[in-house]
Amino acid sequence: MKLRALTLDLDDTLWPIAPTLLRAELRLHDWLLAHAPATAQRHGIEAMRALRADVARRQPQLAHDLSQLRRLSLVEALAASGDDTALAEPAFEVFFAARQEVDLYDEVGDALDRLASRYRLLAVSNGNADVRSTGLDRWFSGSVSARQAGVAKPDPRIFALACEALGCAPDAVMHVGDDHAADIVGARAAGLHSAWLRREPARAGQWQVDPDAPAGTGHHWVIGDLAVLADRLLAG
């Protein structure tokens, strides 16, 4: 396998997303308490989550743009509470800034140091984490987001755009991610190699060839963490 580059998912691959989002939601709620108290009282964190999910159902054409869905949710929450809808943008900025405060899984920093010493790394995400704001730009040459691509994983077009950004053919790229449907099925359909990251205690430090991967479609692995991926790729 003559790999030249790796594409990596971000949320739940490099850091846990649930505490990241909760911190951002709490930061947003505190801001609303100070600047739009009626909205904060009417829309607590759970209510805001439900509203955002409802907006996403009503706006399926925006499934690739989580930032815009969040903005629209804030506009609706403010309007329903009688607050100034112009506050939606500064409220979003508060959420977005906090959303970039991520806590990497323990092995990620060292593994990325090692992987970046041999391969170009590119982030490919359906989310709205920013490579520079999260501090990932020390390892990553750039990113391709669903918002930028106009489609979300598993659509093969986002992987094709990533390969174009890297200047690599698909068979010279391995995609790494935790979501089988979005990351692994999508990468395989686009002709990339894949590494399915399954962060389960029993799999820590483990590597195997994916027994369910179609024959003749490239190298497809199951890994327990990024350290074992670095071990495997840099062994030769």
Side-chain angles (χ1 to χ4, degrees):
M1 178 171 50
K2 296 182 179 179
L3 284 183
R4 294 178 53 202
L6 300 176
T7 57
L8 291 96
D9 175 55
L10 299 179
D11 296 327
D12 283 334
T13 294
L14 303 187
W15 56 75
I17 186 56
T20 302
L21 289 180
L22 179 58
R23 177 168 50 220
E25 290 165 336
L26 288 169
R27 196 82 54 82
L28 170 62
H29 187 69
D30 287 345
W31 189 91
L32 289 172
L33 281 171
H35 300 275
T39 300
Q41 183 175 9
R42 183 168 179 170
H43 293 86
I45 289 174
E46 290 302 324
M48 191 67 79
R49 287 178 177 176
L51 176 58
R52 182 189 168 283
D54 183 55
V55 171
R57 284 191 293 270
R58 289 185 276 116
Q59 302 280 355
Q61 75 281 5
L62 293 177
H64 64 285
D65 192 342
L66 300 185
S67 292
Q68 186 61 13
L69 288 173
R70 181 77 59 179
R71 287 186 175 95
L72 291 175
S73 301
L74 285 166
V75 168
E76 289 199 12
L78 290 160
S81 306
D83 284 321
D84 185 358
T85 58
L87 294 172
E89 189 58 31
F92 172 77
E93 292 300 329
V94 168
F95 172 88
F96 189 72
R99 193 259 188 270
Q100 312 309 315
E101 298 174 14
V102 299
D103 298 312
L104 301 177
Y105 289 112
D106 289 343
E107 90 288 356
V108 166
D110 179 68
L112 290 178
D113 280 339
R114 296 163 64 199
L115 292 168
S117 71
R118 180 174 296 185
Y119 304 103
R120 289 188 65 197
L121 306 184
L122 187 82
V124 179
S125 176
N126 286 351
N128 54 4
D130 178 75
V131 167
R132 179 170 296 179
S133 298
T134 55
L136 294 178
D137 54 343
R138 61 179 289 189
W139 299 294
F140 286 75
S141 62
S143 65
V144 173
S145 68
R147 183 182 187 188
Q148 175 186 350
V151 293
K153 297 178 295 184
D155 193 304
R157 288 174 289 178
I158 193 171
F159 295 99
L161 188 61
C163 290
E164 181 181 337
L166 288 164
C168 295
D171 65 0
V173 180
M174 174 175 277
H175 180 68
V176 184
D178 71 291
D179 188 310
H180 189 270
D183 291 303
I184 307 310
V185 173
R188 291 175 182 173
L192 282 69
H193 306 283
S194 68
W196 181 18
L197 178 58
R198 299 182 64 179
R199 289 190 177 278
E200 303 162 4
R203 292 182 181 272
Q206 298 298 308
W207 168 94
Q208 70 176 107
V209 173
D210 188 344
D212 300 319
T217 60
H219 293 266
H220 303 297
W221 301 343
V222 180
I223 58 174
D225 52 53
L226 284 190
V228 71
L229 178 67
D231 290 344
R232 191 74 187 182
L233 289 177
L234 274 60

